[in-house]
Amino acid sequence: MNRHIIRKIILFLILIGLLFACAPNILYKNSGISESIGTTGNGSLKNAYQIKYKTNNSRYFSFISFYLVGTGFVHSKLHQTLIDSYKECETNCPGIKFRTMECSLKKGGKTLIHRTHRNGLSVDFMVPKIKNGKQVKAFDRIGLWHYLLNFDSTGKLKMNKKVSIDFETMGKHIIALDNAARKNGLAISKVILKIDLKDDFYSTKSGKEVKRRGIYFARNLTKTIDMVHDDHYHVDFKIVN
Ligand SMILES: [Zn+2]
């Protein structure tokens, strides 16, 4: 056999292997009610729901994370909360496209890059970005690499200072999440955003409303945890009823 054919066979086997590895997450069907066990930091998830990869105004951020690693699972109540919140954003943030980042694994437990996210009640959301008053989506398309983007203390993207975090839209999204959570028997228990960015967030109209609602933002974070929460905000939920 010549090298060309061998290369083709290897490529074919890799593709088959990938398809085989992704199949359970491609074919997954949601049904029934989920059960979150333990805490976000030490827990598991039963009968998980896979979030929608795409809605009218949102997308999951990484094919690899969703289908291969399988980090797109949440509690059934949170699944509905995400759908309802993005629906509200269609009216409150017209034209804005959101990106959901990592959630939990199908059975919960430890994930590769998160300390929490273990019981289906944690979700990461990509910060929406703005340039000259308009949403900029170029940096939203880099998949898992997005976790490595760095922003300065005022929310400007370090590698392109014309791009900054759209704190107003972020606040509107958190308000929509709060509304949807209440409707679905959940409550936001904690938001993690880099401490340095909180003053910029709270200075917006929607940020003030988030504060007025008493939605808790983490006040003390270890250096590492603080450092990584500039490109996304992490939201923990709790089951109320
Ligand atoms: Zn997180």
Side-chain angles (χ1 to χ4, degrees), residues 12-225:
F12 179 72
L13 289 176
I14 290 173
L15 281 175
I16 294 287
L18 274 176
L19 201 64
F20 193 72
C22 293
N25 294 325
I26 293 173
L27 303 170
Y28 193 81
K29 291 264 181 294
N30 297 332
S31 73
I33 298 166
S34 307
E35 191 187 343
S36 288
I37 297 144
T39 62
T40 57
N42 182 17
S44 59
L45 179 61
K46 270 188 187 165
N47 195 34
Y49 267 52
Q50 190 178 41
I51 70 162
K52 280 177 181 279
Y53 195 90
K54 199 174 176 293
T55 72
N56 286 340
N57 58 348
S58 80
R59 276 181 90 92
Y60 194 76
F61 78 119
S62 159
F63 185 89
I64 295 172
S65 164
F66 196 85
Y67 290 110
L68 188 63
V69 188
T71 327
F73 292 91
V74 293
H75 188 284
S76 44
K77 290 185 178 196
L78 185 47
H79 174 262
Q80 193 56 44
T81 296
L82 293 176
I83 292 173
D84 293 345
S85 58
Y86 285 131
K87 190 87 204 146
E88 184 178 321
C89 287
E90 283 182 38
T91 339
N92 289 2
C93 307
I96 301 285
K97 301 284 183 210
F98 294 87
R99 292 263 178 174
T100 316
M101 296 177 80
E102 296 213 306
C103 307
S104 295
L105 295 168
K106 200 183 295 169
K107 293 194 164 130
K110 199 170 173 359
T111 65
L112 270 181
I113 53 170
H114 309 279
R115 287 240 291 249
T116 58
H117 290 253
R118 293 192 189 186
N119 68 349
L121 292 171
S122 305
V123 183
D124 285 349
F125 298 99
M126 189 179 278
V127 290
K129 297 163 217 64
I130 201 164
K131 183 181 166 185
N132 302 326
K134 272 187 150 178
Q135 184 180 23
V136 45
K137 289 178 276 193
F139 296 94
D140 297 3
R141 301 186 182 113
I142 58 174
L144 284 159
W145 298 104
H146 193 278
Y147 274 113
L148 301 178
L149 289 183
N150 290 311
F151 293 79
D152 72 11
S153 62
T154 62
K156 289 196 175 69
L157 181 63
K158 283 191 180 167
M159 64 194 287
N160 183 346
K161 295 270 184 176
K162 286 180 187 156
V163 174
S164 56
I165 298 173
D166 181 356
F167 290 106
E168 178 65 37
T169 296
M170 183 184 147
K172 285 181 179 171
H173 174 239
I174 293 175
I175 291 165
L177 277 176
D178 185 47
N179 291 339
R182 287 163 198 264
K183 209 177 106 189
N184 289 290
L186 295 179
I188 294 176
S189 58
K190 191 206 280 180
V191 179
I192 302 178
L193 176 70
K194 191 174 188 183
I195 302 289
D196 247 354
L197 298 172
K198 279 164 59 179
D199 56 339
D200 300 274
F201 173 73
Y202 283 132
S203 71
T204 62
K205 195 174 162 222
S206 59
K208 289 190 177 91
E209 171 62 13
V210 168
K211 190 164 209 172
R212 192 196 65 76
R213 290 182 179 215
I215 297 170
Y216 176 75
F217 272 55
R219 295 195 178 117
N220 294 301
L221 298 170
T222 65
K223 207 175 164 207
T224 320
I225 300 287

